[in-house]
């Protein structure tokens, strides 16, 4: 609750005015909605009591867009946005996006309406068919908390608790449902409004001494320590300290991209080289890694085999630092495979790492290791050079290929954005292309969906662009076509609310990820591989995304089929975005 401000004396007249007082007290800038009668009280309060300012309503054409937008906002801003979803129906539409926010450990304050719970006050049919007992049940397994305050007096406590839980690490979405009778109640006196100063955020969780003592000893003893980082980059302090730690020890970093953790062009960034790096490690320092099995194994899905092959040596020690065990639910298995480790530390890396670096710098033994550290820096440096050379080779070999290669899209984008302070708000379905962009700053790559639910890219990117509007940052969404088709009406929201975002649609005209699966299955079953496209290709007709953008009033170009035409169109699109508008470029591209 870092930035909650003191409330002036509330002057609420209706129940839902109190909700607006709270949204203002917590300094919400925006609230995404699709309208609905179960929150008509709140809607009125937002507009006529709150002045449609702080928070300002962002109108979306699907509740999944509302929540994904708030998700993207939280990623970019580091604080939550609110979304209001209409009773049972809006909540069902929103549920996929709530799950994505849950799996991404990001706070979204989802509000809803219901009822009236007092059946005597219900309209026939619609109030019945849109009321659940209890509505929060629908999403309870993947929100940190849900509530339905029974009176206006209960609203402040409920909201403060929800905000506090959502923003405490590990973060996550919450759902508060407001009975329409509570919202529409005429207040006959003042509602007691607590001082928000009395509800400070908890201090971050630090490791006990034993955790530091063992970590330092093992790091000093190790010949080849390797760092895996997944969610460290959620905080600036963790991001910076990770850079210092890697430097100090000449330990390579394998970025898992839960957040952006480590400068792409740092010579110790060996992301994508786990085959070469992990088997050499005698100590793995896993920092906020959500899927330790996946991070230390080679995925082997050939011929239908699902099992990954472990790369980690039998003598390697593992130190696991994360907050993961604090947010485990039985319903979804998003806690991944049970991890093996020699030392488990439940701590917040944004305080653990800076302290670890400070202590390591004071260790005399580090100075004694100077030669060893220099040697391994040189060894890893060679792996880095090989990796850059391979990336460059792939880029060159595919440069003129038609359809346009994904690597060329990234390289041309890099060129078009040379003068910009850019943020990649969503990436291709693979993360490897990130390595073509010279990202070096905190939160410069916001990454893709962690819950694996399609429909994420565009609305989440809009949320990020909304969060960064006016900051001087230039936002880019590298947008797979299939994912876009789920939530494409977000283009209207982008135009209506003047959200500057460059959208590059990667039109491989396929839900390609699944083509690969159908191929594997066909091979295992000895069935015709050529049928792998049926039920998967998005062809006949091809979608003209440029035209689609224009129907929403958005600047749109393409489809671009000639590789040489790409850079010119990207430059025009960049210019348009700099004028404060969204722009979409549709590129017909290779499958991978
Ligand atoms: C809501 C939802 N439905 C279906 C899927 C299954 N699925 C995973 S990846 C994928 C294909 C995605 O296609 P696109 O976004 O175009 O990316 P591409 O694989 O073509 O690069 C599908 C259908 C999913 N992950 N989520
Ligand atoms: Mg596709």
């Amino acid at each position: 609750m870092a930035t909650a401000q003191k409330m002036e004396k509330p002057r609420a007249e209706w129940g839902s005015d109190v909700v607006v007082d709270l949204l203002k007290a917590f300094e919400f800038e925006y609230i995404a909605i699709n309208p609905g009668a179960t929150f008509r009280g709140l809607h009125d309060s937002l507009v006529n009591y709150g002045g449609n300012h702080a928070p300002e309503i962002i109108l979306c054409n699907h509740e999944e867009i509302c929540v994904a937008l708030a998700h993207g906002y939280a990623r970019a801003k580091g604080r939550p946005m609110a979304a209001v979803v209409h009773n049972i129906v809006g909540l069902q539409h929103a549920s996929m996006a709530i799950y994505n926010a849950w799996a991404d450990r990001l706070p979204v304050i989802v509000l809803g309406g219901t009822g009236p719970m007092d059946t005597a006050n219900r309209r026939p049919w619609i109030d019945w068919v849109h009321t659940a007992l209890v509505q929060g049940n629908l999403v309870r397994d993947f929100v940190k908390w849900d509530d339905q305050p029974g009176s206006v007096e209960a609203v402040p406590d409920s909201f403060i608790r929800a905000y506090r839980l959502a923003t405490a690490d590990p973060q996550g979405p919450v759902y508060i449902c407001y009975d329409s009778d509570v919202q529409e109640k005429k207040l006959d006196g003042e509602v007691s409004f607590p001082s928000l100063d009395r509800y400070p955020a908890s201090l971050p969780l630090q490791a006990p001494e034993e955790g530091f003592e063992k970590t330092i000893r093992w790091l000093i003893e190790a010949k080849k320590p390797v760092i895996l980082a997944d969610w460290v980059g959620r905080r600036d302090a963790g991001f910076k300290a990770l850079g210092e730690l890697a430097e100090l020890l000449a330990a390579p970093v394998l970025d898992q991209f839960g957040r952006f953790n480590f400068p792409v062009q740092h010579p110790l960034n060996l992301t994508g080289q786990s085959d070469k790096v992990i088997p050499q490690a005698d100590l793995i320092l896993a920092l906020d890694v959500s899927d330790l099995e996946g991070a230390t194994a080679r995925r082997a899905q050939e011929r239908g085999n699902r099992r990954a092959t472990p790369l980690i040596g039998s003598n390697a020690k593992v130190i696991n630092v994360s907050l993961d065990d604090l947010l485990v639910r039985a319903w979804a298995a998003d806690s991944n495979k049970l991890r093996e480790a020699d030392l488990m530390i439940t701590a917040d890396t944004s305080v653990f790492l800076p302290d670890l670096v400070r202590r390591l710098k004071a260790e005399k033994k580090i100075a004694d290791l100077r030669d060893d550290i220099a040697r391994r820096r040189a060894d890893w440096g060679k792996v880095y050079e090989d990796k850059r050379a391979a990336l460059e080779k792939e880029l060159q070999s595919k440069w003129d290929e038609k359809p346009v290669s994904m690597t060329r899209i990234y390289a041309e984008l890099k060129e078009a954005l040379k003068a910009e302070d850019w943020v990649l708000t969503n990436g291709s379905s693979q993360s490897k292309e990130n390595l073509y962009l010279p990202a070096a700053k905190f939160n410069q790559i916001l990454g893709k969906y962690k819950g694996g639910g399609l429909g994420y890219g565009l609305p989440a990117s809009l949320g990020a662009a909304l969060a960064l509007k006016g900051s001087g940052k230039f936002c880019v969404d590298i947008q797979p076509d299939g994912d876009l088709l789920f939530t494409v009406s977000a283009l209207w929201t982008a135009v209506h609310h003047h959200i500057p975002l460059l959208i590059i649609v990667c039109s491989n005209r396929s839900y390609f990820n699944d083509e690969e699966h159908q191929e594997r299955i066909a091979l295992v079953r000895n069935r015709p591989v050529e049928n792998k496209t049926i039920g998967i290709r998005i062809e006949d007709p091809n979608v003209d995304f440029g035209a689609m953008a224009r129907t929403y009033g958005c600047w749109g170009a393409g489809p671009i089929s000639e590789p040489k035409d790409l850079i010119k169109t990207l430059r025009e699109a960049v210019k348009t975005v700099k004028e404060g508008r969204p722009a979409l470029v549709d590129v017909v591209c290779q499958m991978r």
Side-chain angles (χ1 to χ4, degrees):
M1 294 197 295
T3 54
Q5 70 184 23
K6 265 202 181 130
M7 272 299 295
E8 287 168 25
K9 206 170 165 48
R11 26 182 197 96
E13 290 177 81
W14 302 91
S16 52
D17 291 350
V18 176
V19 180
V20 172
D21 282 335
L22 285 153
L23 288 163
K24 284 187 181 289
F26 282 97
E27 298 182 335
F28 280 79
E29 290 183 293
Y30 301 107
I31 185 160
I33 75 161
N34 183 266
T38 42
F39 67 91
R40 64 185 190 182
L42 178 55
H43 194 153
D44 168 71
S45 296
L46 286 165
V47 174
N48 293 314
Y49 176 65
N52 194 26
H53 175 72
E56 176 190 341
I57 290 175
I58 302 293
L59 178 56
C60 304
N61 299 304
H62 194 295
E63 289 81 358
E64 185 172 2
I65 298 174
C66 296
V67 174
L69 196 138
H71 176 171
Y73 177 97
R75 257 201 171 193
K77 196 87 170 185
R79 41 176 302 152
M81 179 177 155
V84 199
V85 300
H86 183 39
N87 62 52
I88 290 180
V89 288
L91 189 58
Q92 290 189 74
H93 267 180
S95 59
M96 178 61 252
I98 296 175
Y99 184 70
N100 270 341
W102 163 263
D104 206 8
R105 305 294 184 246
L106 277 172
V108 177
I109 311 293
V110 185
L111 307 179
T114 191
M117 295 314 288
D118 182 349
T119 54
N121 291 342
R122 281 187 196 164
R123 294 176 293 167
W125 179 62
I126 191 71
D127 283 350
W128 294 83
V129 79
H130 278 182
T131 297
L133 193 70
V134 172
Q135 220 155 264
N137 254 355
L138 186 68
V139 292
R140 186 161 293 163
D141 283 311
F142 47 96
V143 292
K144 278 188 84 176
W145 190 60
D146 68 276
D147 195 27
Q148 189 167 312
S151 67
V152 181
E153 288 67 29
V155 164
D157 263 22
S158 160
F159 192 96
I160 294 168
R161 190 191 298 267
Y163 190 94
R164 185 194 179 90
L165 288 170
T167 53
D169 270 330
Q171 300 183 324
V174 290
Y175 174 62
I176 317 175
C177 184
Y178 295 113
D179 181 349
S180 38
D181 271 353
V182 170
Q183 293 175 57
E184 294 181 25
K185 182 162 187 229
K186 175 96 176 104
L187 305 182
D188 44 19
E190 251 177 39
V191 175
S192 117
F193 203 91
S195 162
L196 297 185
D197 295 349
R198 301 299 303 145
Y199 305 97
S202 287
L203 295 174
L205 193 60
Q206 185 55 291
E209 275 307 302
E210 185 186 348
F212 283 109
E213 187 270 311
K214 278 192 175 156
T215 303
I216 290 168
R217 183 151 46 86
W218 292 3
L219 282 172
I220 286 172
E221 282 166 10
K223 294 273 168 267
K224 289 230 158 159
V226 168
I227 301 172
L228 306 177
D230 198 358
W231 255 292
V232 178
R234 73 183 183 282
R235 299 257 189 283
D236 204 7
F239 179 81
K240 280 198 191 113
L242 174 60
E244 287 185 69
L245 180 67
E247 270 293 330
L248 192 65
L249 299 169
V253 176
L254 302 177
D255 196 334
Q256 309 300 307
F257 283 122
R259 297 290 183 274
F260 176 55
N261 295 296
F262 198 63
V264 165
Q265 294 185 344
H266 192 292
L268 287 164
N269 188 332
L270 296 186
T271 306
Q273 305 300 302
S274 48
D275 281 33
K276 289 184 190 152
V277 176
I278 303 266
Q280 293 192 49
D282 56 353
L283 176 66
I284 302 252
L285 180 60
L287 302 171
D288 290 322
V289 178
S290 60
D291 172 16
L292 192 54
E293 182 204 21
T296 54
R298 184 186 306 122
R299 279 165 190 248
Q301 295 184 322
E302 302 82 26
R303 301 190 71 84
N305 177 15
R306 289 171 183 271
R307 292 209 184 149
T309 314
L311 293 166
I312 198 162
S314 53
N315 294 326
K317 282 197 174 104
V318 176
I319 303 174
N320 182 81
V321 188
S322 80
L323 294 170
D324 273 9
D325 282 356
L326 300 184
L327 200 59
V328 176
R329 291 283 164 78
W331 184 72
D334 64 322
S335 45
N336 292 292
K337 185 171 163 56
L338 182 64
R339 60 196 62 211
E340 286 180 41
D342 300 275
L343 178 60
M344 289 289 285
I345 301 177
T346 294
D348 184 334
T349 50
S350 68
V351 289
F352 176 74
L353 287 179
D355 206 352
L356 180 66
V357 168
R358 186 183 58 77
R359 290 167 185 244
L360 273 170
K361 280 183 177 162
E363 275 289 329
K364 282 197 206 68
K365 287 182 194 150
I366 290 281
D368 301 340
L369 289 174
R370 200 180 309 127
D371 292 346
D372 287 351
I373 290 176
R375 216 169 299 124
R376 68 186 179 226
R377 193 185 302 278
D379 287 350
W380 292 128
K382 281 185 212 126
V383 181
Y384 176 79
E385 289 309 326
D386 289 350
K387 162 183 144 171
R388 296 308 310 179
L391 287 169
E392 187 56 30
K393 196 169 157 206
E394 183 172 357
L395 177 65
Q396 292 311 329
S397 72
K398 295 185 173 168
W399 188 254
D400 290 316
E401 281 179 12
K402 203 172 144 184
V404 183
S405 65
M406 286 304 299
T407 50
R408 181 155 181 178
I409 292 179
Y410 274 74
E412 298 278 37
L413 179 65
K414 176 177 145 189
E415 181 60 27
L417 294 181
K418 238 171 27 195
E420 307 304 328
D421 184 8
W422 56 266
V423 172
L424 183 64
T425 57
N426 176 50
S428 75
S429 46
Q430 309 275 294
S431 300
K432 61 176 192 198
E433 288 93 0
N434 287 345
L435 304 178
Y436 285 93
L437 296 174
K441 292 183 189 169
F442 168 64
N443 237 1
Q444 199 169 2
I445 295 179
L446 300 185
K448 45 179 198 176
Y449 52 25
K450 272 301 219 183
L454 294 178
Y456 169 84
L458 178 59
S461 295
L462 287 175
L466 194 61
L468 297 174
K469 201 173 167 179
S471 68
K473 303 263 183 204
F474 186 102
C475 293
V476 192
D477 167 20
I478 298 203
Q479 177 59 61
D481 52 358
D483 180 74
L484 176 59
L485 284 169
F486 280 64
T487 45
V488 73
S489 73
L491 285 170
W492 181 87
T493 301
V495 176
H496 182 73
H497 290 287
H498 310 285
I499 306 176
L501 174 71
L502 172 58
I503 305 148
I504 301 177
V505 183
C506 304
S507 285
N508 57 10
R509 295 174 173 161
S510 176
Y511 288 102
F512 181 67
N513 182 64
D514 288 277
E515 235 173 88
E516 294 175 311
H517 283 294
Q518 294 318 123
E519 178 174 321
R520 279 178 209 125
I521 290 289
L523 287 170
V524 170
R525 297 181 177 181
N526 239 339
R527 290 178 174 170
V529 171
E530 57 275 20
N531 286 345
K532 69 180 180 179
T533 61
I534 297 173
I536 292 185
R537 284 278 166 99
I538 318 168
E539 299 170 336
D540 190 19
N542 291 334
V543 180
D544 182 343
F545 286 100
M548 187 183 272
R550 292 192 293 276
T551 67
Y552 286 107
C554 179
W555 191 98
I560 293 179
S561 307
E562 285 299 329
K564 65 175 172 33
D565 294 340
L566 184 54
I567 187 71
K568 187 171 148 280
T569 313
L570 284 179
R571 290 209 166 104
E572 281 171 42
V574 167
K575 201 166 142 264
T576 306
V577 173
K578 293 203 77 173
E579 288 162 8
R581 294 184 286 151
L584 180 149
V585 179
D586 182 15
V587 188
V588 182
C589 68
Q590 294 182 7
M591 290 299 170
R592 277 275 181 261

